[in-house]
Amino acid sequence: MPAEMSHLPVSTRRTFLSLVGALGLGGALAACGGDSGGVDTGGGSGGGKPTLKQWYHLYGESGTEQAVQRYAQGYDRATVEVQWTPGDYESKLSSGLLSDSGPDVFEYQLNVDMVRSGQIVPLDDIVGPVRSDYTDTDITATSLDGSIYGVKIVDDTGFLYYRKSLLAAAGVQPPTTMDELINATRALDRGGVKGLFIGNDAGVTPAFGGGALLDLVLWTAGTASLTPDNKVGFTTPEAKDSLSKLRELAQSGSLLLGAPTDWWDPSAFTQELAAMQWCGLWAMPKIKEAFGDDFGIVPWPALSATVGKPATFLGGWTSMVSAKARDVDLAKDFVKWLWIDNAEAQEDFNLSYGFHIPPRKSLASRAQKLQEGVAADALRIFNESAVAPNPMWTPKMKSAFADAATAIVRGGGDIDAELAKAQQAVEAELARLAA
Amino acid sequence: MGATPAFWLFMGPFLAGLVLFVYLPIAWSFVLSFNRAQNTVQPREFVGLQNYIDLLQPGPFLDSLWTFTIFAAIIVPLTFVLSLLLAVLLNQITVARAFFRSAFFLPTACSYVVASLIWKLSIFNGVRFGLANQVLSLFGVENIAWLSSVNPPWYWLVLATVRLWLQLGFYIILFLAGLQRISPELYEAAYVDGAKAGWQTFRYITLPQLRTTSVAVLLLNLIAAYQAFDEFFNLLSNSSLARPPLVYLYYTAQSNQDYGHGSAGAMILAALIVLVTLGQNRIYGFGRPET
């Protein structure tokens, strides 16, 4: 023992309390590390079974978390620890995938950088046998470089919800073109009720799930952010016209702006702050509860009667397997068991809590809740008009295009100049990916 | 003079934390800033100064510095003037002094996130439920979409007021400490020489005596403006309308997973803060003995 240490009054009550305090602090810090997933002994708590870590973001519908815990308990080859993540799931997942303490199985959307940097593994062997039971858009959204990297677990989509009674009172029809939408929005803006709500960002600024129209404004003009051969697709004359129409809509003064929640929440519509709202399928139960049958849905209108066609998005979540999973084969087996073989769980997950479309076509076509009324319209619109996101469209590309769209639609900026800036940034990203 | 074991017992954990969680990440970030590091925090390919060159081209990073400039131009003088004014008033009042001091200081204990959400959802909510709009409606003013309006850019009002509410108390305390260090004899001597109470003594005695405090307040304020994140992130998220450097770098690193450019941006920002601090010290003579 060094001489200095002998000065420490090791036997006093103060020392004893200090040691106890230090041990307590150590314990508390250890507890901050999370549940037993942080100290995997290999034995797990399931009597010698290996442990799998499965990550979800927070679903808003009550009962969903308990449901996924229940599914996980049904898997007998491993103990599955479900981590439910409130808040910024994207950042947490990004960090998790960089370390060895991340998830084995997780939900997210496919993007090219995850593939190129080897963060996820291909799942062709488990999806391949049932590939034809998924829509083409689902397969497109989960595929890259000829391989399938994820299993769709939830299909979501969006609609232009409208109040039938308010449209009838204003003498307007559900819009099918941008001009009709602009006119309807103006006509419906009366009595303290705004014509349309497309988000507090006029649909073009990615804030809190915003930027809802960034893709749609291109799809409904007959183009896309990237062409099939991965060139910039947003500089066509039609795309410019579409942005110009969206600017006209934003500057009409008839859009609802500044609502407490954004486009993904139906509150603005159900609180009668707007006569129409762009929102998701997930909101349909709440809207039905508020208005009964006094509402209808259409996809986002085409640019014009002759250019483009109505469209909506293919959203939802995809289950993927981390390349750093301790047992990749086991993780793949779990994904197959839960999201491919276990049809009952998929139907329950999609339709018992919120309102989504089961990705398996065989399930969607026989799901009772999707057979009649507006829900049947939803399934039809989804099958006819949903466009898959392009996994090559990276967050940096989206940010560049969103900055341009924000400057054009909200700031009244020059369309050519702003799009040229975005094009330069996107082409730099494409060059990086090509390299 | 060696440190005692008790010193290391108490300081050791903090020094270890400092090295582990501050100095090592800074050093690692410095290394990454010269490398391509997409979807990885390992240096993948040495690119020299390319990340720095990319960021310093006209684009979102330079735009974010412009956002900082606007924000600093609004918040630094406002905070300085208001905190000085309130400190002088608080220093003079004799009734309920502790209450008023506490009232102004309490908001500094509030989280930026919580305050931002209160500002966004309750006070500057853009529909008829918002407090500000309810007050305005009494005067016949239509609802204002505070955070969505671009012309005029009302979001600056929301951003400035939330930060003022949160940080004024801290700077008031600094000024109060400075005011209490001024010798009463100085004022008495001035009165004997015919100076009038009020602006004259404030201009020629109080302000010069507060030089050191004032420089510290300006410096801390400016650095805090450089580091603005929480209120922008929670009120505007990834909006190019007002995206300060830290928000841009957060999205570069966390959303784009581009740790090379993210690290280079952090290094540029750190260098700017050091340069501004040194420049300000030179101009105001911070640290020089008072005359």
Side-chain angles (χ1 to χ4, degrees):
Chain A
M1 181 185 290
E4 293 83 1
M5 289 297 281
S6 63
H7 297 303
L8 286 173
V10 290
S11 58
T12 64
R13 186 172 57 186
R14 183 179 294 173
T15 307
F16 173 74
L17 291 174
S18 302
L19 287 170
V20 170
L23 286 171
L25 180 65
L29 288 173
C32 291
D35 54 22
S36 58
V39 201
D40 185 9
T41 59
S45 55
K49 286 192 290 189
T51 301
L52 283 176
K53 288 187 283 184
Q54 185 186 23
W55 285 15
Y56 291 90
H57 82 293
L58 182 147
Y59 284 78
E61 302 104 352
S62 58
T64 318
E65 184 181 4
Q66 290 75 15
V68 297
Q69 297 276 9
R70 201 169 57 245
Y71 309 149
Q73 282 168 10
Y75 187 63
D76 57 14
R77 287 192 59 200
T79 301
V80 181
E81 290 175 352
V82 171
Q83 192 165 111
W84 198 250
T85 311
D88 190 355
Y89 177 68
E90 184 181 36
S91 297
K92 179 166 182 173
L93 181 64
S94 297
S95 310
L97 292 175
L98 294 174
S99 72
D100 291 329
S101 59
D104 299 299
V105 176
F106 62 94
E107 57 165 19
Y108 201 49
Q109 289 91 16
L110 178 66
N111 75 64
V112 58
D113 282 318
M114 295 171 85
V115 174
R116 298 282 166 86
S117 59
Q119 288 184 334
I120 52 176
V121 298
L123 302 179
D124 297 272
D125 48 344
I126 64 171
V127 181
V130 289
R131 182 188 172 115
S132 60
D133 202 22
Y134 290 91
T135 61
D136 289 342
T137 46
D138 272 340
I139 294 296
T140 304
T142 52
S143 301
L144 195 75
D145 300 339
S147 287
I148 299 172
Y149 283 90
V151 179
K152 281 289 271 181
I153 62 176
V154 162
D155 271 345
D156 259 321
T157 189
F159 313 106
L160 187 65
Y161 287 88
Y162 60 89
R163 286 284 299 281
K164 289 178 182 172
S165 56
L166 293 180
L167 264 67
V172 298
Q173 293 295 315
T176 58
T177 65
M178 277 302 286
D179 281 333
E180 286 177 16
L181 179 67
I182 293 167
N183 292 336
T185 302
R186 285 203 175 102
L188 290 164
D189 179 14
R190 52 185 178 177
V193 179
K194 284 290 182 184
L196 171 64
F197 183 52
I198 52 177
N200 294 313
D201 60 347
V204 289
T205 307
F208 306 108
L213 299 178
L214 285 170
D215 288 321
L216 286 159
V217 81
L218 300 173
W219 295 334
T220 53
T223 182
S225 48
L226 293 177
T227 60
D229 57 345
N230 290 329
K231 300 237 167 41
V232 169
F234 53 74
T235 51
T236 65
E238 292 80 13
K240 292 175 185 174
D241 282 350
S242 195
L243 283 164
S244 171
K245 286 288 175 196
L246 190 58
R247 174 162 64 187
E248 190 182 338
L249 182 65
Q251 293 176 350
S252 69
S254 302
L255 281 186
L256 172 66
L257 294 170
T261 53
D262 225 295
W263 70 275
W264 36 263
D265 184 283
S267 301
F269 190 54
T270 56
Q271 290 173 350
E272 302 190 58
L273 296 172
M276 300 187 289
Q277 179 176 335
W278 180 253
C279 197
L281 172 65
W282 55 86
M284 194 176 281
K286 280 189 180 171
I287 291 172
K288 193 167 179 56
E289 188 183 319
F291 299 134
D293 292 328
D294 184 22
F295 78 96
I297 54 171
V298 287
W300 189 256
L303 176 57
S304 72
T306 53
V307 178
K309 59 179 185 178
T312 185
F313 60 85
L314 168 76
W317 294 87
T318 298
S319 188
M320 289 180 262
V321 172
S322 168
K324 289 186 175 172
R326 274 163 290 187
D327 186 338
V328 168
D329 288 335
L330 183 67
K332 284 165 71 172
D333 182 73
F334 172 65
V335 170
K336 179 176 181 291
W337 172 84
L338 178 57
W339 297 121
I340 294 179
D341 300 339
N342 195 344
E344 198 176 303
Q346 188 176 138
E347 187 169 349
D348 179 65
F349 188 63
N350 278 274
L351 290 162
S352 297
Y353 312 99
F355 200 53
H356 314 278
I357 297 172
R360 295 289 295 273
K361 284 192 284 189
S362 54
L363 283 177
S365 61
R366 68 165 190 260
Q368 203 57 43
K369 290 183 179 175
L370 294 169
Q371 300 309 309
E372 53 191 36
V374 187
D377 292 343
L379 184 58
R380 177 182 51 76
I381 291 171
F382 174 74
N383 285 328
E384 289 174 359
S385 306
V387 181
N390 187 340
M392 290 292 286
W393 186 242
T394 65
K396 196 179 278 187
M397 295 181 194
K398 180 184 175 185
S399 191
F401 180 58
D403 287 357
T406 300
I408 293 164
V409 173
R410 301 179 71 188
D414 180 75
I415 295 180
D416 288 322
E418 296 296 339
L419 288 182
K421 277 195 272 182
Q423 180 175 10
Q424 195 178 7
V426 171
E427 284 176 344
E429 269 288 270
L430 288 169
R432 174 181 72 81
L433 293 170
Chain B
M1 296 293 286
T4 63
F7 172 84
W8 288 114
L9 185 66
F10 284 105
M11 293 304 294
F14 297 102
L15 285 175
L18 195 67
V19 171
L20 196 64
F21 297 114
V22 178
Y23 295 133
L24 270 179
I26 290 175
W28 194 249
S29 184
F30 184 70
V31 172
L32 281 184
S33 72
F34 298 104
N35 284 274
R36 182 162 289 132
Q38 182 70 46
N39 285 55
T40 175
V41 285
Q42 307 296 324
R44 281 283 162 86
E45 182 194 348
F46 183 75
V47 294
L49 291 172
Q50 193 56 48
N51 290 334
Y52 290 88
I53 293 167
D54 291 345
L55 287 172
L56 294 172
Q57 304 286 328
F61 182 70
L62 287 187
D63 290 347
S64 76
L65 293 177
W66 178 237
T67 294
F68 152 74
T69 307
I70 296 172
F71 184 58
I74 296 170
I75 205 70
V76 174
L78 261 182
T79 308
F80 183 86
V81 170
L82 286 176
S83 55
L84 178 58
L85 185 71
L86 288 167
V88 169
L89 289 176
L90 285 173
N91 198 40
Q92 287 177 350
I93 59 166
T94 51
V95 180
R97 173 184 278 204
F99 167 77
F100 283 113
R101 288 184 181 186
S102 303
F104 281 109
F105 188 70
L106 270 178
T108 58
C110 182
S111 141
Y112 268 68
V113 177
V114 171
S116 300
L117 291 178
I118 292 170
W119 251 244
K120 180 183 179 181
L121 298 176
S122 299
I123 302 175
F124 290 105
N125 173 338
V127 293
R128 59 177 180 264
F129 319 127
L131 179 64
N133 279 344
Q134 280 186 353
V135 171
L136 289 177
S137 71
L138 299 176
F139 302 96
V141 178
E142 291 221 357
N143 291 338
I144 294 175
W146 299 99
L147 284 167
S148 301
S149 168
V150 177
N151 292 310
W154 286 115
Y155 49 83
W156 280 117
L157 177 78
V158 186
L159 289 162
T161 51
V162 70
R163 175 161 278 226
L164 276 176
W165 184 76
L166 281 162
Q167 67 172 19
L168 263 185
F170 174 70
Y171 295 109
I172 287 172
I173 294 291
L174 292 189
F175 274 125
L176 270 174
L179 285 168
Q180 285 165 6
R181 281 182 59 239
I182 302 174
S183 167
E185 282 86 5
L186 282 175
Y187 292 103
E188 285 167 18
Y191 297 145
V192 169
D193 287 344
K196 295 189 181 93
W199 173 249
Q200 215 168 32
T201 49
F202 179 77
R203 165 75 181 81
Y204 291 104
I205 297 177
T206 310
L207 264 186
Q209 289 294 314
L210 285 176
R211 192 194 72 185
T212 314
T213 312
S214 300
V215 173
V217 166
L218 282 174
L219 199 61
L220 291 172
N221 232 316
L222 199 62
I223 291 172
Y226 266 115
Q227 294 175 331
F229 178 82
D230 292 293
E231 67 268 59
F232 283 87
F233 182 78
N234 287 289
L235 293 171
L236 295 173
S237 187
N238 190 14
S239 168
S240 52
L241 298 171
R243 187 168 49 201
L246 279 192
V247 172
Y248 173 73
L249 295 177
Y250 174 83
Y251 281 103
T252 300
Q254 288 298 94
S255 179
N256 303 345
Q257 291 211 49
D258 182 353
Y259 296 98
H261 283 101
S263 298
M267 289 299 130
I268 294 173
L269 201 58
L272 273 174
I273 292 175
V274 170
L275 278 177
V276 168
T277 307
L278 292 176
Q280 205 164 345
N281 281 350
R282 194 166 180 81
I283 293 166
Y284 294 109
F286 186 49
R288 281 207 300 264
E290 302 216 17
T291 52

